[in-house]
Each structure stands twice: as C-alpha cells, then as structure tokens.
Amino acid sequence: MQVAIVVLAGTETHEGLGRLVNALEAAKELKEAGDDVTLVFDGAGTQGLAEVANPEHKSHRLYAAVQEQVAGACSFCARAFGVRATLEAAGIRLLNEYDQHPRYYVAGAVRPNALAGS
C-alpha cells in the first residue's frame, strides 16, 4: 500500500501534539507493515517537526523511527512559523514546488529517498 500523510499540527496545544504523535505512530505502523509511507509537514506541522526533530523532545524516538519517511516541510510555512533555520540545521528538506509550498502528491508518487539530494 502507498500512503501519504500530511501533518498540519504543531505542538503548542495538547491536542496538536496528539495529532502530530498520531501521524508519526501511523507512519511507523505502516512502515513496519512494509507499506510505502511518506510524511509531508505543512502549516503548523513545520513547527511540530522542528520540535520532535530535537533529540531532547519526548517524542523524538518516535520521530527517529520514521525519519527516513519524511519527504520534507513546507518552505513558506517553515519561515512563517520561525523554524526554517532549525529544520535546515536538522537536514530536513524544505519543499517549495508550488508557490513556495509543497506540491501535494498522489500517495506514493514521490518517495522520501527519491527526494533526498534533490
């Protein structure tokens, strides 16, 4: 199965963190089942990604388990949420294919590894 998960939730609220963690957990489950899963972070999700990419964050181990499935984060939103430099320092690709935003792909059409180094 090919699945794309778009994460729009940040970590400023308990609800937002819950949505972010649920997206990471779903990606982990799909990956372990042998499915082709891709994560894209947009909107407040760019801020959430910056948080969980930090090794000190309580959900970092979960993020690390699916890090290879991360296609990247919206370039425009990373700047708007003030996390562009943090994401760049973490080696996370900034997506800007459509008006500085990610182009939404059909599930499985773009694989994270195919984006690496692009």
Side-chain angles (χ1 to χ4, degrees):
M1 181 168 44
Q2 297 176 331
V3 180
I5 300 173
V6 178
V7 182
L8 299 166
T11 59
E12 290 185 2
T13 66
H14 184 69
E15 177 187 17
L17 177 59
R19 290 174 191 237
L20 173 63
V21 168
N22 283 334
L24 296 173
E25 191 68 37
K28 182 180 174 203
E29 178 183 355
L30 291 162
K31 174 186 170 186
E32 289 176 358
D35 295 319
D36 184 6
V37 60
T38 300
L39 287 155
V40 174
F41 292 80
D42 201 354
T46 60
Q47 177 266 337
L49 177 57
E51 292 283 327
V52 297
N54 179 345
E56 300 298 317
H57 193 276
K58 62 185 174 184
S59 296
H60 178 75
R61 279 189 15 190
L62 179 57
Y63 163 74
V66 296
Q67 185 174 0
E68 292 179 2
Q69 280 60 51
V70 175
C74 175
S75 177
F76 181 89
C77 294
R79 186 174 55 253
F81 281 87
V83 295
R84 183 182 182 99
T86 301
L87 294 176
E88 288 176 329
I92 296 167
R93 184 169 184 260
L94 297 175
L95 306 172
N96 60 5
E97 299 89 355
Y98 179 77
D99 201 18
Q100 298 182 41
H101 294 275
R103 180 173 164 254
Y104 286 101
Y105 304 99
V106 175
V110 174
R111 290 172 180 71
N113 293 335
L115 291 173
S118 300

